[in-house]
Amino acid sequence: MRRSETTSTGDRAGFLLVAIAGVYVAQSLVTGVAAQALPALLRSQGASLQQLGWLSLLMLPWALKFAWAPWIERWRLPAGSAARSRQMVLGGQLMLAALFALMAAGGGRQVGLVMVALSLAALLAASIDVACDGFAIEQSQPSLRGWVNVAQVGGSYAGLLLGGGLFLLVAQRWGMAQGCFLLASLIALLGLPWWFLRPGSVARSLTRRPASLSQAWRRPTVRRGLVLTILLAIGPRLVMGLTGAFLLDHGMPLEQLAWLQGAGGVLAGLTGALLGGLLVRRWQARVALVTALTLQALALLCLAGAVPLLMQAVAVWVFSMALSATFVANYTLLMRCADGPQPGVDFTLFQCADACMAVVLGIVGGWLAHRLGYSAVLGLAALALAMAGVAVYYRGTGPDLFSEKPSDADA
């Protein structure tokens, strides 16, 4: 009987992870299209670098989602009624698929329709993220939280690469309408597990304490975590939206770029995540983070120099790999910063701060590249990464934040 109950619990946990991972993949598909595929497609059609920089505004919903998160939480968990998490996430997924189907029906040639639909998709995906995060925390036991985090990070990275690579490949070969139809089908398929998901009961006492941004701001570790987030975002966020256009302008065909950002990006992301995990396990998170930042800076310096196209492609791959390793090490530190009475609220602040930096620095990077050229922007980004590495290595952002404690292994 106990073995049957254990098997049933394990099956439910596995199905929960599949459902949660599908949501994060779908959300990041939108980000991949907006941040990688669409800039490359528009650049191939003659758009200027300054115009490409404005596409970073599509990241605004992820930067501002904290503003409407309390409203979503109240709607998801109404007082005296059953939770609406499943209906809210499933409905949101279907609406997200419908938006991409609308873009496909429009042929993908009307830029105005694509921008409006992508803006709505970004707003919807960011809202689904709030509901899914709360649901995942409620439904997962402490022993399952690590796997939930793997599903979130891995799913998000996979979606980003699929949206930036697979969509770009399909759109280049068969047209943007076919690419939008493919994404609509994928998003609907990824939301299918939520139709069969049967959430467990949750003690409503978990919802009686509303989220408090003021309480988060009063905690010194949260403020230090925000400083760390901003410091580490300056370098990569300045150039992330320019790497595709950079390679295109230096002679790489669009189809090869799609493979580099797609299959090559998946390999870089998985390799970097594994490398980051091994470094954090082998050394302190601070040393792992400094190592990853150093690799990023070296890759950007290689891009800024006069090197052949093949070396430029390798440098972009190494940059992507090092960026993935940076995420692993950085999240380890930020989880310690958010380890308090309201970790979900605290970690959301870090996410929103990073998204704000992505919007601002994406515009600044496009403007600087238009005015000063690629080499100047790449050099500035490498300098910012080097300064961040020095700051992290020689100065902690909080009491014992970079030290390895016994409790950190549990986190």
Side-chain angles (χ1 to χ4, degrees):
M1 185 66 178
R2 289 183 178 178
R3 179 178 296 180
S4 177
E5 291 176 355
T6 302
T7 302
S8 178
T9 302
D11 291 343
R12 181 183 175 277
F15 196 77
L16 176 66
L17 290 174
V18 170
I20 291 173
V23 172
Y24 292 123
V25 171
Q27 291 171 20
S28 292
L29 282 173
V30 180
T31 307
V33 172
Q36 294 182 353
L38 192 58
L41 286 172
L42 293 180
R43 182 62 175 173
S44 67
Q45 297 173 6
S48 69
L49 294 175
Q50 193 168 5
Q51 290 174 326
L52 297 184
W54 287 103
L55 291 176
S56 297
L57 289 174
L58 293 172
M59 294 290 292
L60 271 178
W62 278 277
L64 302 176
K65 64 180 180 180
F66 70 91
W68 61 84
W71 178 84
I72 291 178
E73 195 71 356
R74 287 193 297 267
W75 195 90
R76 187 177 70 88
L77 299 173
S81 302
R84 300 168 177 163
S85 305
R86 174 175 165 273
Q87 296 91 325
M88 190 172 186
V89 174
L90 179 59
Q93 289 282 95
L94 294 177
M95 291 172 63
L96 198 58
L99 285 173
F100 277 96
L102 177 64
M103 285 188 278
R109 299 186 183 90
Q110 302 178 19
V111 178
L113 175 62
V114 170
M115 293 301 296
V116 171
L118 270 181
S119 300
L120 292 175
L123 179 63
L124 184 59
S127 301
I128 297 172
D129 184 42
V130 175
C132 189
D133 285 344
F135 175 83
I137 294 172
E138 289 175 352
Q139 295 292 319
S140 59
Q141 298 295 327
S143 60
L144 190 64
R145 297 271 170 85
W147 290 108
V148 169
N149 192 45
V150 170
Q152 179 180 13
V153 176
S156 298
Y157 209 89
L160 181 66
L161 294 171
L162 288 173
L166 179 62
F167 172 79
L168 182 60
L169 179 64
V170 173
Q172 191 272 335
R173 280 196 171 186
W174 294 289
M176 192 168 176
Q178 284 71 20
C180 290
F181 179 77
L182 173 65
L183 293 191
S185 302
L186 284 176
I187 292 171
L189 183 63
L190 291 168
L192 187 60
W194 287 83
W195 180 267
F196 303 99
L197 187 64
R198 294 297 178 262
S201 59
V202 179
R204 300 311 295 258
S205 59
L206 295 176
T207 67
R208 291 177 181 173
R209 189 173 185 179
S212 172
L213 296 178
S214 60
Q215 182 182 358
W217 180 251
R218 285 195 295 266
R219 296 185 59 225
T221 53
V222 173
R223 296 197 297 269
R224 291 167 184 141
L226 287 170
V227 172
L228 179 65
T229 300
I230 294 172
L231 184 66
L232 298 183
I234 295 175
R237 294 299 187 184
L238 201 61
V239 297
M240 279 180 64
L242 297 175
T243 55
F246 174 86
L247 292 175
L248 279 174
D249 288 350
H250 283 77
M252 176 171 284
L254 189 61
E255 184 173 351
Q256 291 184 14
L257 177 62
W259 282 109
L260 178 64
Q261 292 185 338
V266 169
L267 180 60
L270 294 177
T271 304
L274 177 61
L275 176 64
L278 291 175
L279 290 177
V280 170
R281 184 177 178 84
R282 178 65 178 83
W283 299 326
Q284 293 185 357
R286 174 177 63 173
V287 179
L289 184 56
V290 172
T291 302
L293 291 172
T294 302
L295 284 175
Q296 285 189 68
L298 291 175
L300 293 183
L301 287 176
C302 180
L303 282 176
V307 296
L309 180 61
L310 179 60
M311 286 298 299
Q312 292 174 347
V314 171
V316 169
W317 190 91
V318 172
F319 172 74
S320 300
M321 181 199 66
L323 183 61
S324 178
T326 301
F327 285 147
V328 173
N330 186 30
Y331 286 169
T332 301
L333 299 179
L334 292 180
M335 284 179 182
R336 298 176 198 171
C337 291
D339 187 12
Q342 47 176 30
V345 175
D346 298 345
F347 204 78
T348 296
L349 287 176
F350 302 147
Q351 291 178 321
C352 291
D354 182 65
C356 285
M357 295 297 291
V359 172
V360 174
L361 292 174
I363 296 174
V364 172
W367 184 85
L368 288 175
H370 181 74
R371 299 292 181 182
L372 305 178
Y374 287 117
S375 296
V377 181
L378 293 168
L380 288 173
L383 178 61
L385 285 165
M387 294 175 64
V390 171
V392 168
Y393 188 80
Y394 288 105
R395 181 179 177 84
T397 60
D400 298 325
L401 181 61
F402 294 130
S403 65
E404 298 295 325
K405 303 178 183 178
S407 59
D408 293 335
D410 299 332

